[in-house]
Amino acid sequence: MSIDIDLVKHIAELSRLDLGEGLNEAEARVAWEKMTSDLASIVGHMDIMAEAETDNVEPLYSLPTEPAGPREDIPSEVQSAEDILAQAPDRLDNYFVVPKIL
Amino acid sequence: MSQMEPVIGLEIHAQLKTATKLFCGCSTSSGRGPNPNICELCSGQPGALPRLNAKAVELAALAGLALGCQVNEVSIFARKSYFYPDLPGGFQTSQLDPPICQGGGLSLEDGAFIRLNRIHLEDDAGKCIHDSQRGQSLVDLNRAGMPLIEIVTEPDLRSSAQVVDFLKKLHAILVHLGVSNGRMEEGEFRCDVNISLRPQGTEKLGVRNEIKNLNSFRHVAQAIEYEIVRQQRLYDDGQSLVQQTRLFDPARQETRALRSKEEAHDYRYFPQPDLPPVLVSAELLARLKASMPKLPQELKAELLAQGLSEEQAAVLLERPQSLEYFQKAVAEFSEPKKVATLMLELFLPACQREGLKALDAKLKPSQLAKLASLMASDTLSRRAAYDLFPQLFAEGGDPEALAKASGKIQLSDAGAIESLAQTIIEAHPEEARKYREGQEKILSFFVGQLMRQSKGAANPKVAGEVLARLMKG
């Protein structure tokens, strides 16, 4: 798989990331190029796996089912809603508050 | 300008009827303000690990069996990634390939068979409220992690009427099987509509538009009608259609573009590494098949065979517990048509007014059966039954005892009616003469008099016969 700067920018857009935030144009270009070459190197390393012989091998999607198999449909007794709300950077009553989105 | 044919496919989300969410032990209850039931998992805290709800798997498999799907022994979950504050983990846990159920379908009233593509399990997102005054958004994650099945049809539907018929049938099956409560106003059954037009008689699909999140049968029909006209107009004007996601605005009765294909999501599906495959064993399938109740279609056929009308059958299948109530009453008085008529005219409207499920009413099925049998044997007139009903419904009890106590037992005995009739004829010699001269319509005047004087207790049919005989004789 080839990684180019357009693909990195697309992935960043999907993830709401801006590598150039707070940088001038030249610095930003360096940041994007560095990420592109880093990612290309990581993905290139992963490509070694593509050399493995996998004909007639069933895909393994996960490790054995225990201990994380299905659970009974019984409500948990632990109530953690207040703990979680307390961690929120901003809240209004029991709502989480986030920057305006549309 | 050629005649265009609508091609419609549906994606239906139904919330499964479980006590807990799909991957955590949070309760599925709602209605206690924002965020009452959230935990580390469904609020997307790093490191929290999901565990699948076994009941949700059973319900999804049950839906698949009822809809004639192939239920896969092994299916897997996948992460569907997108960024939005209602999705705290940054991904929805859904199924891509293979899903839990594949294939299947449902027959419509008009004979068309609508094929299903698949049914898969997934969790719901939370809810955002946009607070424009403060320039911020409020997030309620109570719905985040609720267990859903998404049912996807093939593009086999051709009109809004077919779509509504399909959705009503599907809804009835899911509610009947206990797969979902199906409360549409709560978002427990909602529908995305994919619609395109193509020249009649051609095969190639046109550019489609998707209308998201419709949660009433009426809105589905209105949105489709609007969309057909809108797309037809674009074709007539020679404009090309852009693939879009649209929202229906019930207030304006129109659909509006939400996003176009250029802005379409790239969901980057990949197998969810935190969850083992979903297993549906042969034993579980056998158990589900054995415990499967009769489907609405089969029950309807049985009710029609018992002599009920289409409408009666539909109402009994639709209202909560009313079929069970009906069956219990018929076990006591085996005149299904009469029991159904009494239920539809008096009993079910009263239940609806009081917000009661049929079996929670004070008037028990055996007592309603008794009331129907008293009416059938002419011991109680229709009018008397209507008069007594409110008290019977409010308090329950033996209809015969109540009828006797309030003097409503019908006089069917010709002798008792005869003396009353004689008195009335003597009191109205002028009218009696007109009747003898051939004005037969005036008989109803005498019957009315007799009913009034007997305080509704006389059998009007017998009264009419006696009066006619006395005046003509």
Side-chain angles (χ1 to χ4, degrees):
Chain A
M1 176 174 197
S2 77
I3 305 285
D4 60 24
I5 198 157
D6 290 337
L7 180 63
V8 173
K9 286 191 168 165
H10 176 61
I11 294 168
E13 168 71 28
L14 290 170
S15 309
R16 304 288 185 271
L17 293 174
D18 180 5
L19 300 184
E21 193 175 357
L23 304 178
N24 67 34
E25 204 175 319
E27 291 167 336
R29 193 166 55 244
V30 171
W32 285 108
E33 278 166 0
K34 181 167 187 325
M35 180 59 79
T36 306
S37 87
D38 285 355
L39 271 179
S41 148
I42 292 166
V43 172
H45 193 67
M46 300 285 179
D47 276 346
I48 295 170
M49 285 191 284
E51 293 164 17
E53 177 62 50
T54 55
D55 290 352
N56 304 316
V57 178
E58 282 282 310
L60 176 69
Y61 292 113
S62 79
L63 294 171
T65 57
E66 294 299 327
R71 64 185 167 80
E72 299 270 325
D73 183 28
I74 298 167
S76 155
E77 285 172 14
V78 182
Q79 297 291 325
S80 41
E82 185 46 46
D83 289 345
I84 290 164
L85 281 160
Q87 305 292 321
D90 192 5
R91 66 190 270 194
L92 179 69
D93 300 325
N94 277 358
Y95 283 107
F96 297 101
V97 176
V98 298
K100 187 181 172 192
I101 39 145
L102 267 180
Chain B
M1 192 190 306
S2 55
Q3 185 60 39
M4 303 293 270
E5 165 189 63
V7 178
I8 305 167
L10 305 174
E11 293 165 23
I12 298 108
H13 288 90
Q15 184 178 327
L16 298 170
K17 192 172 170 180
T18 60
T20 64
K21 292 184 179 180
L22 189 53
F23 297 117
C24 60
C26 284
S27 164
T28 49
S29 62
S30 59
R32 287 192 291 130
N35 291 311
N37 304 306
I38 57 170
C39 70
E40 292 76 1
L41 193 274
C42 60
S43 66
Q45 309 294 318
L49 288 172
R51 275 193 74 191
L52 178 60
N53 185 337
K55 176 83 177 175
V57 176
E58 286 189 19
L59 294 177
L62 188 61
L65 287 177
L67 294 165
C69 307
Q70 173 198 321
V71 182
N72 288 321
E73 198 180 334
V74 181
S75 59
I76 63 164
F77 279 107
R79 291 188 181 188
K80 176 181 179 180
S81 299
Y82 64 93
F83 260 90
Y84 205 71
D86 64 6
L87 196 66
F91 61 87
Q92 180 185 28
T93 302
S94 182
Q95 295 192 291
L96 186 62
D97 190 33
I100 186 165
C101 305
Q102 284 167 294
L106 202 52
S107 292
L108 301 185
E109 289 299 308
D110 65 7
F113 182 75
I114 308 306
R115 292 167 301 154
L116 296 187
N117 174 286
R118 53 157 45 215
I119 302 177
H120 65 250
L121 280 160
E122 63 183 27
D123 58 359
D124 205 353
K127 202 169 70 181
C128 289
I129 298 168
H130 305 296
D131 178 353
S132 51
Q133 280 191 332
R134 290 195 185 80
Q136 59 193 19
S137 292
L138 306 176
V139 184
D140 177 3
L141 296 179
N142 205 50
R143 288 204 62 81
M146 291 288 193
L148 306 177
I149 44 174
E150 180 172 336
I151 300 164
V152 183
T153 76
E154 297 292 350
D156 287 353
L157 294 140
R158 297 288 175 269
S159 68
S160 61
Q162 277 195 331
V163 169
V164 170
D165 187 29
F166 177 87
L167 288 174
K168 284 189 171 167
K169 286 197 160 55
L170 179 65
H171 183 264
I173 289 171
L174 297 181
V175 170
H176 180 72
L177 291 177
V179 167
S180 174
N181 280 320
R183 290 173 298 200
M184 297 177 79
E185 66 288 354
E186 306 273 331
E188 292 178 352
F189 185 90
R190 52 191 204 258
C191 177
D192 301 340
V193 176
N194 283 290
I195 174 166
S196 62
L197 299 185
R198 68 182 174 197
Q200 199 96 42
T202 62
E203 287 299 313
K204 193 170 170 290
L205 294 173
V207 175
R208 70 188 161 87
N209 276 222
E210 181 180 18
I211 314 163
K212 295 282 273 185
N213 260 331
L214 295 157
N215 66 350
S216 86
F217 298 131
R218 198 160 47 90
H219 291 169
V220 168
Q222 290 167 341
I224 290 172
E225 291 302 328
Y226 176 85
E227 202 49 31
I228 290 172
V229 171
R230 188 185 73 86
Q231 294 189 15
Q232 177 79 56
R233 193 171 298 147
L234 287 173
Y235 280 113
D236 290 348
D237 292 352
Q239 296 185 39
S240 56
L241 204 63
V242 194
Q243 185 173 330
Q244 283 176 332
T245 301
R246 300 178 71 86
L247 281 182
F248 178 64
D249 180 345
R252 294 187 174 191
Q253 291 285 306
E254 64 181 28
T255 65
R256 275 203 301 273
L258 186 68
R259 56 176 180 261
S260 64
K261 197 187 174 187
E262 293 81 66
E263 310 151 41
H265 288 308
D266 174 355
Y267 291 125
R268 291 156 292 156
Y269 278 98
F270 69 95
Q272 156 65 300
D274 293 340
L275 282 163
V278 182
L279 303 178
V280 180
S281 65
E283 291 76 33
L284 173 59
L285 270 189
R287 181 162 66 75
L288 291 174
K289 273 182 192 155
S291 67
M292 176 114 79
K294 284 181 187 160
L295 292 175
Q297 298 278 56
E298 298 172 64
L299 291 168
K300 187 178 162 195
E302 286 181 10
L303 290 173
L304 296 180
Q306 287 181 293
L308 272 57
S309 69
E310 286 269 345
E311 190 214 344
Q312 289 176 327
V315 172
L316 289 182
L317 288 170
E318 188 185 289
R319 303 279 177 83
Q321 300 178 348
S322 63
L323 181 67
E324 213 180 327
Y325 191 100
F326 168 78
Q327 286 164 341
K328 286 189 169 165
V330 170
E332 304 274 335
F333 176 56
S334 54
E335 290 274 2
K337 178 89 189 162
K338 295 196 161 99
V339 170
T341 303
L342 189 56
M343 282 183 71
L344 262 76
E345 282 186 10
L346 292 174
F347 179 72
L348 291 173
C351 288
Q352 200 163 31
R353 268 197 306 279
E354 302 292 323
L356 282 177
K357 289 182 184 161
L359 293 170
D360 295 338
K362 289 232 170 67
L363 183 66
K364 297 299 158 204
S366 61
Q367 296 166 345
L368 181 126
K370 187 67 175 290
L371 185 61
S373 85
L374 291 172
M375 289 167 76
S377 64
D378 279 340
T379 312
L380 203 59
S381 71
R382 193 178 142 80
R383 180 179 148 185
Y386 269 72
D387 288 347
L388 290 178
F389 191 82
Q391 190 183 348
L392 272 172
F393 185 80
E395 296 165 14
D398 177 19
E400 193 167 17
L402 181 64
K404 277 189 178 141
S406 52
K408 297 275 192 194
I409 291 292
Q410 180 154 271
L411 295 174
S412 292
D413 169 21
I417 291 179
E418 200 167 311
S419 64
L420 199 52
Q422 198 64 53
T423 322
I424 292 166
I425 293 167
E426 281 163 15
H428 301 281
E430 186 63 14
E431 286 81 357
R433 187 178 55 78
K434 284 183 184 163
Y435 178 77
R436 286 191 199 96
E437 286 169 10
Q439 290 191 36
E440 300 224 334
K441 276 186 191 162
I442 212 157
L443 183 64
S444 61
F445 161 79
F446 284 99
V447 174
Q449 289 292 319
L450 196 143
M451 293 307 290
R452 191 175 309 156
Q453 296 207 8
S454 71
K455 298 193 174 63
N459 177 334
K461 191 159 162 278
V462 177
E465 287 162 9
V466 169
L467 283 160
R469 180 164 49 78
L470 287 176
M471 287 190 280
K472 281 187 173 155

